[in-house]
Amino acid sequence: MNNTLIKKFMDYALGSGIVLLLGFISSPLNTRLFTPEEFGKFSMFNLFSSVLAAIILMGLDQAFVRYFYEEEESKRPKLLFETLKIPLITCTIVGLLTIIFSKDILIGLFGDFSFRLLIIIIINNYFLLLVRYVQLVVRMQQRGKVFSILQVFQKIITIILIVLLFLVFENDFMVLIYASVFSNFALILLGVYLERKFWFKEKKYIKISSSNKEMFKYGFPLIFTFLITWLFQSADRLFIKHYQDYSELGIYAAAFSIVALLNAAQSAFTMFWVPVAYERYSKNPKDKKFFQTISKIVAFAMFFCSISLILFKDIVILILGSDYRMASFIMPFLIFMPVMYTISETTVMGINFAKKSKYHIFIALSCAILNILGNLFLVPSLGAKGAAISTGISYILFFTLRTFISMRFYPNKYGLGKIYLVILNISIFAFYATFREIDLMYVFLGVENYLFLFLLYKGEINVLLSKIKLVLKNKI
């Protein structure tokens, strides 16, 4: 792992770090301004938007990522528009179908029909599509500083809009929706402007080497993957809504928003890692040591963050307000979601290198079935706690399947023995933290997890610290 690579990552991490700090403003802002019921309705809007986005994209955003480095640099803007055409058409069709079935959809999700909500959903479809490609253009060119600027800009706009709109609409989940949608629009404008040379480059007489048929063949199976993954990732909230109410769902969503602070680290790494991994593989596919080192360092960093969040969960949850105190018992197992996903991003690349996207369907389906069964048995008796436990266990399976299937096509040594020992140790800690308040045993388990982690990853820590010191020294 060279210094250039660390500098690239730090460009992404800078923005994610600022977003993380802003998250400590926006999360308590949302929970103190809005009741759990309204926050729960906003959570349902996000769920519905994500499934529509998966359908609209048709997997072609992933085709853009996969074939980006197979095209000459001058032809990449053409690749963008070839993979964007079909999703734009699909977006219009989905919008028309949403209008036709609007009453059933809106009453089923929100308990009432609202024409303004229908319009904002249709507009949001186009915005989410364009946001995805704006981010991919920046990400695939490995422009970490630009990506950081976009992240921070969007978060600041969202916070400002929530405050201003609350003064008009007060405790209404539409405030959160408006802020989300219009911040997406602002990100599109800024992102296209900053990358205008890429977006508006002459493409009329350029012909790319990748055929539309080839890209569609690669991307189309991923629609099913994304839909099944959506079911896998959303089963918890769907079951809570069915067995409990919007208030319980809102508390769960609040716990989710705290865990999502880890998504800042996940986002920074994923946005940096995927293009770097593809580029590295295309240049030197036999350099397996590179992928081993990255995987071990990421595993240590994510496990360290997860232990810290569980240990200090009661302090962190204080920022949400008194209505959301129960979120502290929901949070521990939710930690596994960003942690296992991020680590698996370093071990799954064999599937993507081999262009075996069909295996993602099997992985997502297996995890969805486990999560549905887990929620079916645990949510009726344990409520949101049960949903969190089911989600955490499902993500451990998610990591396992991604890793072992990937290793069939690209065998590598990722230190799996260490990883599973730490997972077992943290699982015991998370289980205790789900049902007990802080006490002497709680603190003991937290400290023991730290010591165990540092003992196992002593070598990786030394490598990481030496590289960071060298980069900082060169900057000074």
Side-chain angles (χ1 to χ4, degrees):
M1 187 171 64
N2 56 41
N3 296 338
T4 302
L5 203 60
I6 294 178
K7 288 178 181 178
K8 284 183 179 180
F9 175 70
M10 290 181 71
D11 286 340
Y12 284 94
L14 175 63
S16 295
I18 297 173
V19 168
L20 177 65
L21 294 175
L22 292 173
F24 280 102
I25 298 174
S26 63
S27 291
L29 182 68
N30 293 341
T31 55
R32 290 176 186 276
L33 293 180
F34 303 95
T35 63
E37 183 177 2
E38 296 300 310
F39 204 64
K41 290 180 180 179
F42 176 62
S43 176
M44 292 307 298
F45 171 81
N46 284 333
L47 281 180
F48 183 57
S49 298
S50 63
V51 71
L52 290 183
I55 295 170
I56 289 166
L57 285 165
M58 300 289 285
L60 289 169
D61 59 324
Q62 292 303 308
F64 175 71
V65 171
R66 180 63 187 87
Y67 291 95
F68 189 85
Y69 287 107
E70 294 190 5
E71 296 291 342
E72 296 176 16
E73 188 173 347
S74 61
K75 295 182 179 180
R76 290 168 184 172
K78 179 69 173 180
L79 178 68
L80 167 67
F81 280 87
E82 287 298 320
T83 58
L84 183 57
K85 288 189 298 186
I86 293 177
L88 283 170
I89 296 170
T90 310
C91 190
T92 303
I93 296 172
V94 168
L96 292 173
L97 290 173
T98 304
I99 293 172
I100 294 171
F101 299 103
S102 58
K103 286 190 177 179
D104 292 331
I105 292 171
L106 296 182
I107 292 174
L109 292 176
F110 307 103
D112 191 21
F113 176 81
S114 169
F115 183 73
R116 62 172 178 162
L117 181 54
L118 173 62
I119 297 301
I120 206 74
I121 287 173
I122 294 170
I123 293 173
N124 190 49
N125 290 342
Y126 287 99
F127 287 174
L128 288 177
L129 169 59
L130 293 174
V131 162
R132 176 63 175 160
Y133 275 92
V134 164
Q135 291 176 332
L136 285 179
V137 166
V138 175
R139 172 183 171 186
M140 295 312 295
Q141 295 181 98
Q142 300 181 38
R143 291 169 60 81
K145 290 180 180 178
V146 174
F147 189 81
S148 292
I149 290 170
L150 293 177
Q151 274 189 301
V152 174
F153 174 76
Q154 184 182 30
K155 195 70 175 180
I156 291 173
I157 291 295
T158 301
I159 293 172
I160 292 172
L161 286 173
I162 288 174
V163 173
L164 293 178
L165 292 170
F166 181 81
L167 297 176
V168 178
F169 299 102
E170 296 185 345
N171 179 39
D172 187 341
F173 74 101
M174 288 299 296
V175 169
L176 295 167
I177 292 175
Y178 286 142
S180 175
V181 172
F182 289 114
S183 67
N184 282 335
F185 179 61
L187 183 144
I188 293 167
L189 293 179
L190 181 60
V192 171
Y193 173 75
L194 293 176
E195 297 296 328
R196 56 192 179 279
K197 290 182 180 179
F198 191 100
W199 281 87
F200 299 113
K201 185 174 182 178
E202 177 59 45
K203 293 168 281 291
K204 188 175 181 181
Y205 301 106
I206 295 176
K207 187 175 181 180
I208 59 176
S209 59
S210 308
S211 68
N212 287 329
K213 182 180 179 181
E214 183 184 6
M215 291 188 292
F216 191 75
K217 184 179 179 181
Y218 175 82
F220 187 72
L222 294 175
I223 302 175
F224 304 102
T225 305
F226 289 141
L227 290 177
I228 297 169
T229 301
W230 173 86
L231 182 61
F232 156 44
Q233 295 175 343
S234 308
D236 47 6
R237 280 156 284 185
L238 295 173
F239 273 90
I240 291 171
K241 180 181 179 295
H242 178 74
Y243 285 109
Q244 305 294 325
D245 52 28
Y246 281 116
S247 181
E248 181 89 352
L249 178 60
I251 294 172
Y252 184 84
F256 212 89
S257 71
I258 293 296
V259 172
L261 295 175
L262 263 184
N263 287 348
Q266 173 190 316
S267 176
F269 175 73
T270 303
M271 295 302 170
F272 146 83
W273 170 244
V274 174
V276 166
Y278 279 125
E279 185 180 37
R280 189 80 173 205
Y281 180 77
S282 65
K283 292 179 179 178
N284 188 5
K286 294 183 179 180
D287 185 13
K288 294 184 177 182
K289 182 68 175 178
F290 169 77
F291 294 96
Q292 292 174 23
T293 302
I294 293 292
S295 181
K296 290 174 182 177
I297 290 174
V298 169
F300 165 77
M302 294 306 295
F303 285 140
F304 178 82
C305 291
S306 66
I307 295 167
S308 300
L309 269 180
I310 297 174
L311 182 59
F312 300 105
K313 69 180 179 68
D314 291 306
I315 297 174
V316 175
I317 291 297
L318 285 174
I319 68 175
L320 295 179
S322 58
D323 290 340
Y324 294 86
R325 288 286 185 267
M326 289 303 295
S328 67
F329 298 102
I330 299 168
M331 193 178 76
F333 266 95
L334 287 180
I335 294 292
F336 285 107
M337 190 184 88
V339 170
M340 301 318 301
Y341 182 91
T342 306
I343 299 173
S344 75
E345 283 291 280
T346 68
T347 61
V348 75
M349 298 309 296
I351 298 174
N352 300 331
F353 292 156
K355 301 179 182 177
K356 302 292 184 179
S357 56
K358 63 182 179 181
Y359 284 98
H360 290 298
I361 300 176
F362 168 74
I363 293 168
L365 182 60
S366 301
C367 296
I369 291 172
L370 178 63
N371 203 18
I372 289 170
L373 291 174
N375 279 280
L376 189 62
F377 285 107
L378 296 175
V379 172
S381 57
L382 297 177
K385 290 181 184 178
I389 293 171
S390 178
T391 298
I393 294 171
S394 298
Y395 266 92
I396 295 172
L397 176 65
F398 179 72
F399 163 79
T400 300
L401 292 176
R402 285 185 120 196
T403 301
F404 282 94
I405 293 175
S406 171
M407 289 175 66
R408 288 181 57 190
F409 304 106
Y410 194 69
N412 212 340
K413 298 178 181 178
Y414 296 113
L416 296 181
K418 291 182 182 181
I419 289 174
Y420 283 109
L421 283 173
V422 177
I423 288 173
L424 176 62
N425 211 28
I426 294 177
S427 296
I428 295 170
F429 186 26
F431 188 82
Y432 190 88
T434 298
F435 297 99
R436 298 290 296 270
E437 294 182 349
I438 190 167
D439 56 19
L440 189 60
M441 177 58 71
Y442 189 102
V443 175
F444 170 78
L445 286 172
V447 173
E448 183 271 334
N449 267 267
Y450 275 135
L451 294 175
F452 189 68
L453 179 67
F454 277 85
L455 180 65
L456 285 180
Y457 284 90
K458 183 171 63 174
E460 287 74 16
I461 295 168
N462 291 333
V463 171
L464 182 61
L465 290 176
S466 63
K467 291 292 183 181
I468 292 174
K469 285 179 181 178
L470 189 59
V471 171
L472 293 175
K473 184 178 179 181
N474 290 338
K475 282 192 172 185
I476 294 172

